[in-house]
Structure formats: C-alpha cells, structure tokens
Amino acid sequence: MAIPYRGVLAVFGGFLLHLSLGTLYCFGNLAPYIVSYIKQRSKPSSLTYPDATWLFALAVCSQGMATFFGGVLEQKIGPKWTTLVGGWILSFGFVLSYFTLQHSFYLLVVTSGLMFGFGCGLAYIPTINCAILWFPSRKGMAGGIVVAGFGAAALIFNLLHTAFINPNNFSPDLDIDGVMYFSQDEVLDKLPYCYVVFGGIYAVMQLVGSLLLSVPADHPDEQQSLIAVSNKPASHLSTKEAAHNQLPPKEATRTQSFWILWGIFFMNGQTIVFISSLYKAYGQTFIFDDKLLATLGAAASLFNASGRVVWGHLVDVYSFRTCMLCLGVSQIAFLMTLIVTPEVGTAMFFLWICAIFFCFSGNFALIPTATNRCFGSQYFSMNYGLVFTANAVTTPIGAMLSSTLAEPLGWFGMFCVLSGFTLAGLMLTYFFSAKQPDGKDV
C-alpha cells in the first residue's frame, strides 16, 4: 500500500507544531534565569525555585483544561484553524512576557503560564488526530512521531535559549541562604528579549505547520464508524461492545476504562511536573557548569522525543497494559536511585535524567492510542481532551507538593513521593482490561 504523501505532510506539520508547543519543557532550563531576574529586578524578591514551579504547573494545568475545547473547536472549524489559533495564543503570551517579567512573577504566570498553556491545549490534540486518521494501522507510531516534536523542543530550544541568554557560560554567583542565583547583568539583561525573539520564531513555525495539516476524505481506520452508539448506557457496555462503538464524550466518561486512563495520567503526571521543572536545580547542587546542564536538558529532550516514537511502536505491537507496566516499573527504579548520582558522578546523573524523560514520555504515546482504541476515532479529539484534563489536576498538586514538601523532605524524600504516585499508577494499570473488536487487549 502506497504511503499517502498528504498524510506524510500532515505528520510533519503536526511534528513542527508540537516542536513549538513543546517549548513548555524549556521551563526547567529557563527557571534559574527567571528566578534570578525576579529576585533582583522584579517582584517578589522572596521567590524561590520550588515556588517557581507554579509557572510550569499552571501552564500544564491550563493546557489540560483547554484540550477538550480544542477538540470541540476542531469539529467546528477544522484542524488548520484550530491549531493556528491555539499556536498564536501561545506565541502572543510568550511575547507579552517581555513586559510581565519586568513587573511581577504573578503577571508572568498569566502570559507565560496560563496563556501559553491554553494555546498549547487548543492546538495539541488536532495534530495527533490528523496523523492517526492518515495511518490507521500504525496509530501508535503516527501519533508518537507527532508528539515526538513536543519532546524534542527542548533539544533545540534549551541550547538556543542558553546561547541567547548566557553565551559566555557564566555560572550562578549569588549565594542566598545556600542557594545559587545569577547576578551578572550580561545574563539578566537578555532574558526579557528572549521572550520576544523566540515568540516570533514559534509563530512562524505554527503557521507553516498548520498549513500542512489535513484529514483523509474517509476514515478507513474504523469500519464501525457508521455504527450508531448503542442505546444501552456505556457503563453497562462490555469492553468489546464499547470498542465496536464510536463513543461520544458523554458515554466514554461512563466507562471504567476512561477513568483508569485518567487516573494513570494523573499519577504519572507528578514525576513529569517535578523532574521537568527541577532537574536543573537539583543538578546545580553539585554541577557548576551552566552549559553542561543546558546540554543535559537538550539530551533529555532527545530521549523524551525518541521515547514517544519507541513507545508508540511498542504499543502497536504489544498491549497498552504491558507497555504501561514496563514504563512504571522502570520509572520507579530510576527515581529511587537518582539520589546517588551526586556521589557516583555527572555521567550517572546525565544518564538517569535522560532515562526518566524516556520513561515518562511514554504516557503521551500510550494513553492517546489506548483512548482511540477504547472509544473510536470519531470523537477522539474530545475524548482524549477529557483524559488529558488529568494534567489540569495533577500539575497544581505537583506544584503544591514541590513548594511545601521539598524543603522538609529533601530531594530523596521527594523522589520517594514521586515513586509512590508511580506505584499507584501501576496498580491502576493492572486493573485495565479493555478489549479491541478482535478480542485482543487494547
């Protein structure tokens, strides 16, 4: 069977869009600059690194709340306009951060947090849906390639941000209560302009990506797409019956499978929030090379990106349950041994952070594929948007845990907390038992 060229363009367009949306993951690299700037030139001067995780957390929270509306908007105006509107809201918020950064952290949260996340949420799912519709027999792989752009963003932009803000590789030199911050004018002066320059770059990428998106004239991935949903309440449908139906959101949310997927996303999200936000701050406790830590962020994003493709391929071959169990066990192993990396050395820390990014990247390939298999393609954007709202709940909780427990528990205590959440996700995965129409596990 020939590969549809418009499908390839749609996948590439989705990848390019996600490459701009995924700059959300650059927060961990930008955080030391942001906190240093605000403590010395903006408000509040008492801001700490754990407090700053609220910026990332509320961006992801806003993204989670907007994903469902992105699915609804796609049904009305199509994927091209939905992704362009969402992308440009993100970019406009990033450019506005030039002004808000200089006034207060709280205004920065609105532009670089809430606006950024809301635009990201609107544009996020229609791109995945286009890829899945073009390649129905390789849903995991097609969707994985698109969301690989989200994971790869930091690979490119961490290095570009650091080269723009700190080209001379200054190390933090201001010690406040044992925590190091940047005080060099050469670094702090450039941070506001970073928002303007890169906001414009994101907007151009989003325009090109949205123009490449399309959907096939028919949807050959689902022979059952014209079958009406049973009048039987979804909560009473067998998993096989449910798989044969195209379940709209109202029916999908009445199934056990939906809430297990939502719960897994919620539990695994704690590690995503904490490690993405604070890996650099943890590294700065024993590594004093800013460019090396930026390189680590880029390498971790490479694992984040490639992991989505690898996990997407695995879920095309094996069941969602098998893949997710492997993901959870691996993640706990790396989290519980992360504390020894300062003693062993930089190389181990480098490898462990990359491995954790590889593990949690699987959530973004496995869960959308399972959602599509459970509830069909017709309402995929809205159904996955609702599953994705788990991020809207998990991120503020993660930020609260970081800001309140990080100091009394210490780094190892927080790694134990994250492992506990991952273990809870494993328990939910164990009870996931949905079937595909052919009787195979989802």
Side-chain angles (χ1 to χ4, degrees):
M1 180 178 178
I3 298 177
Y5 81 93
R6 291 182 64 208
V8 173
L9 291 177
V11 170
F12 177 73
F15 177 89
L16 190 61
L17 277 155
H18 273 248
L19 199 60
S20 69
L21 305 182
T23 53
L24 179 67
Y25 279 123
C26 292
F27 173 79
N29 184 59
L30 289 174
Y33 307 125
I34 294 171
V35 175
S36 298
Y37 187 98
I38 289 174
K39 286 185 76 71
Q40 297 165 72
R41 300 190 178 185
S42 189
K43 299 181 291 188
S45 60
S46 60
L47 189 72
T48 66
Y49 288 126
D51 292 337
T53 58
W54 281 103
L55 181 61
F56 177 78
L58 290 178
V60 177
C61 179
S62 181
Q63 178 196 14
M65 291 187 293
T67 48
F68 174 75
F69 297 105
V72 174
L73 194 60
E74 181 192 7
Q75 298 264 331
K76 296 182 180 297
I77 64 175
K80 289 181 184 289
W81 283 106
T82 302
T83 53
L84 187 60
V85 169
W88 279 4
I89 289 174
L90 177 155
S91 298
F92 184 57
F94 204 71
V95 171
L96 283 180
S97 298
Y98 169 87
F99 302 101
T100 58
L101 173 72
Q102 300 175 64
H103 285 80
S104 80
F105 175 70
Y106 307 109
L107 289 176
L108 183 67
V109 166
V110 174
T111 57
S112 190
L114 296 175
M115 283 184 67
F116 191 104
F118 187 80
C120 181
L122 288 181
Y124 187 89
I125 295 179
T127 54
I128 304 172
N129 193 34
C130 287
I132 288 176
L133 290 176
W134 276 109
F135 297 97
S137 63
R138 300 302 300 274
K139 294 177 182 179
M141 177 68 80
I145 292 173
V146 170
V147 296
F150 204 94
L155 170 65
I156 299 171
F157 288 103
N158 270 354
L159 296 177
L160 292 178
H161 290 160
T162 299
F164 184 90
I165 298 168
N166 189 12
N168 297 316
N169 196 28
F170 290 113
S171 295
D173 64 336
L174 178 61
D175 188 332
I176 301 178
D177 298 327
V179 181
M180 302 303 295
Y181 302 92
F182 291 96
S183 68
Q184 300 92 338
D185 290 338
E186 295 93 331
V187 174
L188 301 183
D189 287 346
K190 293 180 180 178
L191 181 59
Y193 295 98
C194 177
Y195 286 103
V196 177
V197 171
F198 287 95
I201 293 172
Y202 302 159
V204 173
M205 294 170 62
Q206 290 151 2
L207 175 61
V208 174
S210 64
L211 290 175
L212 294 176
L213 293 181
S214 64
V215 294
D218 54 0
H219 299 169
D221 58 318
E222 294 288 352
Q223 295 295 325
Q224 299 90 0
S225 61
L226 299 179
I227 297 178
V229 175
S230 170
N231 290 326
K232 186 191 302 184
S235 56
H236 294 104
L237 287 173
S238 71
T239 51
K240 187 171 182 178
E241 286 177 313
H244 274 279
N245 284 292
Q246 299 289 330
L247 295 186
K250 184 178 179 180
E251 299 297 323
T253 54
R254 296 168 64 186
T255 65
Q256 183 186 61
S257 296
F258 174 90
W259 291 107
I260 290 179
L261 291 173
W262 193 97
I264 293 169
F265 223 158
F266 172 83
M267 295 300 175
N268 291 350
Q270 296 300 322
T271 297
I272 298 171
V273 172
F274 188 88
I275 297 297
S276 297
S277 302
L278 295 175
Y279 76 88
K280 190 172 184 179
Y282 179 53
Q284 284 177 334
T285 62
F286 62 97
I287 298 173
F288 306 102
D289 186 331
D290 192 51
K291 282 191 175 178
L292 177 61
L293 290 171
T295 302
L296 168 58
S301 72
L302 177 62
F303 278 79
N304 190 0
S306 60
R308 296 171 189 232
V309 178
V310 172
W311 288 110
H313 170 69
L314 290 174
V315 80
D316 283 334
V317 178
Y318 304 102
S319 70
F320 165 80
R321 184 170 177 268
T322 298
C323 293
M324 187 58 75
L325 288 173
C326 292
L327 184 157
V329 170
S330 301
Q331 185 165 285
I332 290 174
F334 286 113
L335 284 171
M336 292 301 293
T337 52
L338 185 59
I339 195 64
V340 305
T341 55
E343 303 299 326
V344 176
T346 301
M348 181 180 177
F349 177 68
F350 203 99
L351 291 172
W352 255 237
I353 292 298
C354 289
I356 293 171
F357 270 75
F358 182 88
C359 288
F360 72 58
S361 71
N363 290 282
F364 302 100
L366 303 182
I367 294 178
T369 303
T371 302
N372 185 281
R373 289 176 180 172
C374 284
F375 313 121
S377 295
Q378 185 176 351
Y379 302 100
F380 168 75
S381 292
M382 289 187 285
N383 285 332
Y384 183 51
L386 287 174
V387 173
F388 204 90
T389 60
N391 284 276
V393 180
T394 195
T395 48
I397 292 176
M400 192 179 304
L401 291 175
S402 297
S403 59
T404 59
L405 297 181
E407 184 174 344
L409 292 183
W411 289 106
F412 182 64
M414 289 305 301
F415 299 153
C416 290
V417 171
L418 299 179
S419 296
F421 276 104
T422 306
L423 179 61
L426 278 174
M427 295 173 65
L428 287 172
T429 303
Y430 180 79
F431 292 104
F432 185 81
S433 59
K435 302 291 184 181
Q436 299 186 70
D438 59 5
K440 295 181 179 179
D441 291 336
V442 164

